Amino acid sequence: MSGEALIYDAELSPTKEDIAGRYAGIVTLFGSYRLVDPDDVVGIEVLVGSDLDGRTVQLPLTYRPEEIDPECTLTDMEHSVLGRRWVSNALGDPVAVAQFIRTILEGDDGATRSDGVPAALDIRGSGSEGKVDVRDVELFEVTRQRAVGTVNIDGNVRSFQLILPHLLRRLNSTGVDANTARLHLIGWLPSMPEKQRVLAELSLRT
């Protein structure tokens, strides 16, 4: 389990609906899924919804009390409990990237919410390595859907490429299956576990 995300009863400006529409073309926001920063500094959330064409899309975000990288900043946000927060592309945030990699490698699932609201998607990584120590992420290239860099995994520095596609395609429509060398994060609606979608793909090299 990725832990529990602490959720505040707060007013946000701009709202998450505003952010989802502005930066992902989401017209109907279904909700989100979350991972947890072990140091409890960075909020890690992926908004999920549908666009004008009815396609399911995602927008990975982090929330921080200070700006981490202007090139990855989407907007600032006023949070009625926590104050000013910086909203960034999660692929440009080393803390979020480390947690995506850890979740995938460990075969972990998503975080629960402290307010009891269920995630929009149930998620699980395809790995089965047990407990993995993931740290020291260095990012060399970041786009809205891809991060390339190096990461220390159990004491070994590995090169990686992490892709979080904007458009969530069905698992069997991407050619990704249990036999692929590429690791992945899969998600599904709790009511339709048979309709799995690819949320993230991870490639590692020594």
Side-chain angles (χ1 to χ4, degrees), residues 7-122:
I7 307 298
Y8 296 90
D9 183 12
E11 295 182 2
L12 308 177
S13 180
T15 66
K16 292 181 182 178
E17 288 81 2
D18 292 337
I19 293 171
R22 186 183 311 167
Y23 297 103
I26 291 175
V27 295
T28 302
L29 182 61
F30 302 152
S32 68
Y33 62 91
R34 285 180 172 262
L35 303 178
V36 172
D37 170 18
D39 294 327
D40 199 27
V41 174
V42 182
I44 307 169
E45 181 174 36
V46 182
L47 303 182
V48 180
S50 61
D51 64 11
L52 280 171
D53 296 320
R55 303 175 302 177
T56 302
V57 298
Q58 65 177 352
L59 178 64
L61 304 172
T62 60
Y63 311 109
R64 283 179 173 264
E66 297 180 357
E67 188 173 32
I68 182 173
D69 182 350
E71 292 190 2
C72 294
T73 298
L74 300 182
T75 184
D76 60 342
M77 168 194 287
E78 288 299 325
H79 189 291
S80 63
V81 176
L82 299 176
R84 192 181 191 188
R85 307 286 283 174
W86 294 94
V87 184
S88 299
N89 170 13
L91 285 166
D93 193 316
V95 170
V97 170
Q99 287 307 304
F100 275 105
I101 292 174
R102 181 201 62 77
T103 301
I104 292 170
L105 291 178
E106 291 184 355
D108 203 359
D109 55 10
T112 59
R113 292 172 50 120
S114 63
D115 60 2
V117 174
L121 298 175
D122 288 339

Side-chain angles (χ1 to χ4, degrees), residues 69-203:
D69 182 350
E71 292 190 2
C72 294
T73 298
L74 300 182
T75 184
D76 60 342
M77 168 194 287
E78 288 299 325
H79 189 291
S80 63
V81 176
L82 299 176
R84 192 181 191 188
R85 307 286 283 174
W86 294 94
V87 184
S88 299
N89 170 13
L91 285 166
D93 193 316
V95 170
V97 170
Q99 287 307 304
F100 275 105
I101 292 174
R102 181 201 62 77
T103 301
I104 292 170
L105 291 178
E106 291 184 355
D108 203 359
D109 55 10
T112 59
R113 292 172 50 120
S114 63
D115 60 2
V117 174
L121 298 175
D122 288 339
I123 69 171
R124 183 167 296 279
S126 65
S128 58
E129 299 190 17
K131 188 69 174 176
V132 178
D133 181 26
V134 179
R135 62 179 65 202
D136 301 334
V137 170
E138 291 192 33
L139 298 172
F140 303 149
E141 178 186 342
V142 175
T143 70
R144 293 288 292 275
Q145 300 186 64
R146 183 178 69 161
V148 176
T150 59
V151 59
N152 187 313
I153 301 173
D154 289 337
N156 299 308
V157 177
R158 308 281 299 274
S159 297
F160 74 88
Q161 175 177 263
L162 177 67
I163 297 173
L164 272 69
H166 175 64
L167 178 63
L168 300 184
R169 293 186 172 88
R170 296 276 178 86
L171 178 63
N172 59 8
S173 69
T174 65
V176 177
D177 58 32
N179 296 318
T180 185
R182 180 174 292 177
L183 294 157
H184 45 274
L185 184 68
I186 299 302
W188 59 91
L189 292 171
S191 61
M192 293 186 289
E194 73 282 0
K195 295 184 177 180
Q196 298 182 348
R197 297 178 183 270
V198 178
L199 308 180
E201 298 181 18
L202 174 66
S203 299

